[in-house]
Amino acid sequence: MSKKYYITTPIYYINDIPHIGHAYTTIAADIMARYKRICGYDVFFLTGTDEHGQKVEKAAESAGIHPKEHADRMVHRFTDLWQALNVTNTGFIRTTEERHKKVVQHIFDKVKEKGDIYLGDYEDWYCVPCETYFTELQLKEGRCPDCSRPPEKLKEESYFFRLSKYGQPLLDFLEQHRDFVLPDIRYNEVASFVKGGLRDLSVSRTSFQWGIPIPGHERHIVYVWFDALTNYLTGIGFPDDMETFGSFWPCDAHLIGKDILRFHAVYWPAFLLSYGIEPPKHVFAHGWWTIEGQKMSKSLGNVIDPHDVIKTYGVDEFRFFLFREVPFGLDGDFSKDAIVHRINGDLANDFGNLTSRSVTMIGKFLKGRIEEPEIRIGADEYVQENVMKLIGQYEKEMEVFGYHKALQCAFEIVSILNKYIDSEAPWKLAKEEDRRIKTVLYNIWNSLRIVAVLFYPFMPVRSQQIWNALGIEKPIESVIFNDEKHFRTPADIAAIDKIAPVFPRIEG
RNA sequence: GGCGGUGUAGCUCAGAUGGUUAGAGCAUGCGGCUCAUAUCCGCAGUGUCCGGGGUUCAAUUCCCUGCACCGCCA
């Protein structure tokens, strides 16, 4: 049985227009999925859409259509984007699917039977003109924080999840799984929230109808998080296909934005503990992007459409930028200058130009053939040793979502190769008819082949182009990483000649 | 108000169980090469390592305190 890896993104709210934030999480998951695949894992990569709730109900109503139809119209915004971004998800879940409804109802029932869900009253402040609920604390001097009008107190019958009971179990779990919350700077946040005491959680609503009804009490609709989080179970076949489910659960990683950490790191494991399913292994919370130094917001009109970025700069360039520019987990700023700078500096000048000069030299000086080296000196060994060392570092970083550092390792190799070419000057060796030119270009060819693999999870299309330029025709996505980590004389490759720049400079 | 974090070169950041010249990338200046996408390589820098106090033979690194900013919670 092959090794299994299960990674997820959140399910995105169907009313949202996909932006850079959605793209960020999903690409992050895709990078890991691709990486794990070339490492030999059988990967389940799940994403999807959250399609229930009052806002969807209202949007559909004003459009004069059924909420499901509304969702059907909107879902393509996400699926189209994932296609455009070359995202290789293996599953896609919509919370309006029948299979999901069954799972939510099943879990709800069981947890209720166990006594962890009970019927009570949910009290909140409701601002009629704004049509929004607020908690006592959100009110400003007893008035609506948005419009300053006095809200009404509404009491609604609601089911509650006995979260209060899970404080200690959660603390125990956190204590035993110090790497449950990643990056570790977020761990304390979660632990102190739990230590602060947990209140029971309202998990149903009667104020709207668009959702999953509670069996036997259909006036009640399962409320957002209980419905949404359960998708991670539905997506891999729970409970009908327990064989698949059992092979992928516990989930290796839920990738999320830092805004929904509490739901994933506190509520979700609590639900699972109550039901009796092991919590996931890791929840990784990443940061937020600002745009040209400003918070992204509809009112500022600076929300970025990923399709536009792709059109202007290219898919791989976009994917690359997001993880090269900012350590994964921290906040970052997306700006035109920054992405152009990265493309020109890292990709065109360093990596792209390295590829060009290497390929041209192999074509010009060796007639496009890589042969077994006859002699080898210290400089040649230095390159091999460092490439090996950096591959090892890269692997370690990838294991812990250290994408930023993993890319640094790849660029360290690029830098070593540029220096190597400079110091060994193959064009001189060619003139002098020195046999060592074969050694130098052999090393360069091999290192570049490996670097392309290191870049592959981030830039699948460009990496393939580089492989092709190196005379390798097989699809890079089907490689076994372990087989590529060695220097070797290629047995069967196409003749190597010139290539057009893989990463053209952006002028202006 | 509580808890946690951050404050290091022009910019973005790394770093040391305390100890010789505190680092990287980018930006800047100078030099070199010509295989290459006017690309690459080398050299040169500059820093009161937030302020104050303490521990120590020795602190930017540990402790206390102040200031500033950020995150989570109330």
Side-chain angles (χ1 to χ4, degrees):
Chain A
M1 193 172 94
S2 67
K3 302 178 285 183
K4 305 280 184 183
Y5 192 86
Y6 179 30
I7 188 164
T8 69
T9 74
I11 43 174
Y12 302 113
Y13 200 57
I14 194 77
N15 262 17
D16 288 349
I17 294 168
H19 54 66
I20 185 173
H22 301 101
Y24 188 46
T25 320
T26 309
I27 294 168
D30 188 57
I31 288 166
M32 187 54 77
R34 286 176 182 272
Y35 176 68
K36 287 290 174 181
R37 278 187 207 114
I38 65 172
C39 290
Y41 284 80
D42 180 9
V43 173
F44 203 105
F45 168 13
L46 182 70
T47 186
T49 42
D50 175 9
E51 306 189 348
H52 289 135
Q54 192 166 24
K55 281 186 193 164
V56 174
E57 189 175 80
K58 291 218 156 143
E61 196 181 291
S62 52
I65 54 176
H66 189 272
K68 178 63 166 62
E69 196 186 335
H70 172 73
D72 289 345
R73 290 183 189 177
M74 302 288 280
V75 71
H76 299 288
R77 296 180 184 214
F78 289 94
T79 51
D80 288 352
L81 181 58
W82 306 151
Q83 214 170 359
L85 287 168
N86 289 323
V87 166
T88 58
N89 58 299
T90 51
F92 191 92
I93 181 164
R94 304 178 56 184
T95 53
T96 49
E97 290 174 57
E98 191 60 28
R99 58 170 176 158
H100 181 63
K101 177 179 167 185
K102 275 165 57 186
V103 176
V104 171
Q105 290 180 333
H106 167 78
I107 304 266
F108 195 97
D109 267 351
K110 291 287 173 201
V111 172
K112 190 161 152 237
E113 270 172 36
K114 191 173 170 177
D116 281 347
I117 285 178
Y118 62 91
L119 197 55
D121 284 318
Y122 177 79
E123 263 191 336
D124 237 341
W125 295 94
Y126 185 70
C127 177
V128 182
C130 295
E131 298 179 326
T132 312
Y133 287 89
F134 298 100
T135 63
E136 186 84 37
L137 287 158
Q138 287 174 306
L139 297 183
K140 274 189 189 150
E141 292 158 5
R143 288 164 174 272
C144 171
D146 289 344
C147 69
S148 299
R149 280 178 279 218
E152 296 174 23
K153 190 158 210 172
L154 286 191
K155 196 189 238 181
E156 186 185 329
E157 192 183 53
S158 167
Y159 282 99
F160 285 85
F161 173 73
R162 233 178 264 285
L163 186 62
S164 56
K165 183 177 142 187
Y166 286 90
Q168 195 53 48
L170 281 169
L171 285 176
D172 294 343
F173 175 76
L174 287 168
E175 181 59 39
Q176 285 154 23
H177 303 269
R178 301 303 295 235
D179 59 353
F180 172 59
V181 179
L182 296 173
D184 54 13
I185 50 162
R186 300 276 167 209
Y187 180 92
N188 280 337
E189 239 172 73
V190 172
S192 67
F193 175 78
V194 177
K195 276 181 200 145
L198 300 172
R199 291 195 316 185
D200 288 351
L201 194 68
S202 168
V203 290
S204 78
R205 283 291 183 280
T206 53
S207 52
F208 62 94
Q209 283 304 300
W210 183 234
I212 296 171
I214 287 162
H217 208 161
E218 317 263 316
R219 202 165 61 83
H220 285 261
I221 297 299
V222 177
Y223 193 48
V224 54
W225 287 105
F226 200 94
D227 174 351
L229 290 162
T230 307
N231 93 84
Y232 300 130
L233 303 179
T234 311
I236 50 169
F238 183 89
D240 294 336
D241 181 1
M242 287 308 276
E243 197 183 322
T244 302
F245 177 77
S247 70
F248 285 106
W249 196 268
C251 183
D252 290 278
H254 294 316
L255 296 192
I256 58 168
K258 62 182 180 179
D259 55 323
I260 53 174
L261 177 58
R262 211 167 77 211
F263 307 104
H264 283 78
V266 180
Y267 301 170
W268 179 226
F271 295 159
L272 291 170
L273 288 174
S274 172
Y275 181 89
I277 294 175
E278 196 182 335
K281 292 181 198 161
H282 306 290
V283 173
F284 188 102
H286 68 242
W288 284 118
W289 287 93
T290 51
I291 307 297
E292 306 283 350
Q294 285 191 302
K295 212 174 151 183
M296 184 165 50
S297 80
K298 275 179 214 146
S299 51
L300 279 173
N302 64 351
V303 177
I304 292 207
D305 181 349
H307 290 288
D308 293 340
V309 182
I310 294 171
K311 225 179 282 166
T312 311
Y313 302 106
V315 187
D316 280 12
E317 286 77 1
F318 177 47
R319 293 172 57 114
F320 167 77
F321 174 79
L322 295 175
F323 297 94
R324 169 67 169 166
E325 182 73 0
V326 175
F328 192 42
L330 302 185
D331 292 349
D333 183 54
F334 187 92
S335 73
K336 191 175 172 328
D337 285 353
I339 191 168
V340 168
H341 197 252
R342 283 295 176 193
I343 290 172
N344 283 346
D346 292 338
L347 296 181
N349 295 352
D350 292 341
F351 182 40
N353 183 54
L354 169 67
T355 308
S356 292
R357 66 199 304 215
S358 303
V359 167
T360 305
M361 284 191 289
I362 292 167
K364 214 183 253 188
F365 303 140
L366 295 185
K367 298 198 170 69
R369 271 194 285 278
I370 297 299
E371 291 168 41
E372 190 69 24
E374 289 165 27
I375 35 174
R376 188 168 290 177
I377 67 169
D380 306 318
E381 271 151 24
Y382 175 86
V383 168
Q384 289 203 17
E385 281 163 18
N386 277 284
V387 168
M388 289 307 146
K389 192 185 83 191
L390 286 160
I391 291 171
Q393 284 175 20
Y394 169 97
E395 290 174 300
K396 275 196 193 122
E397 291 300 339
M398 288 302 285
E399 283 308 313
V400 294
F401 295 95
Y403 293 167
H404 182 245
K405 288 189 179 170
L407 285 171
Q408 278 176 7
C409 292
F411 274 101
E412 181 66 29
I413 296 177
V414 168
S415 171
I416 285 172
L417 294 177
N418 271 322
K419 291 189 212 323
Y420 180 58
I421 291 174
D422 229 71
S423 65
E424 306 316 309
W427 51 94
K428 279 188 194 156
L429 298 174
K431 264 185 216 155
E432 294 157 10
E433 292 182 32
D434 192 318
R435 283 176 303 157
R436 203 167 70 86
I437 190 168
K438 286 202 288 190
T439 314
V440 173
L441 293 179
Y442 166 94
N443 273 351
I444 291 167
W445 183 87
N446 272 289
S447 305
L448 213 43
R449 169 178 56 80
I450 293 168
V451 167
V453 177
L454 303 188
F455 278 126
Y456 160 74
F458 300 87
M459 300 189 283
V461 178
R462 299 307 190 199
S463 299
Q464 181 71 59
Q465 287 174 355
I466 285 162
W467 262 36
N468 294 347
L470 293 172
I472 309 167
E473 269 154 17
K474 80 172 160 185
I476 194 166
E477 66 185 17
S478 67
V479 302
I480 307 297
F481 192 29
N482 272 329
D483 295 347
E484 296 298 327
K485 294 196 294 205
H486 314 284
F487 282 51
R488 61 156 191 263
T489 304
D492 176 29
I493 58 167
I496 298 165
D497 198 2
K498 286 188 175 169
I499 49 162
V502 177
F503 301 103
R505 279 183 67 85
I506 298 168
E507 305 296 346

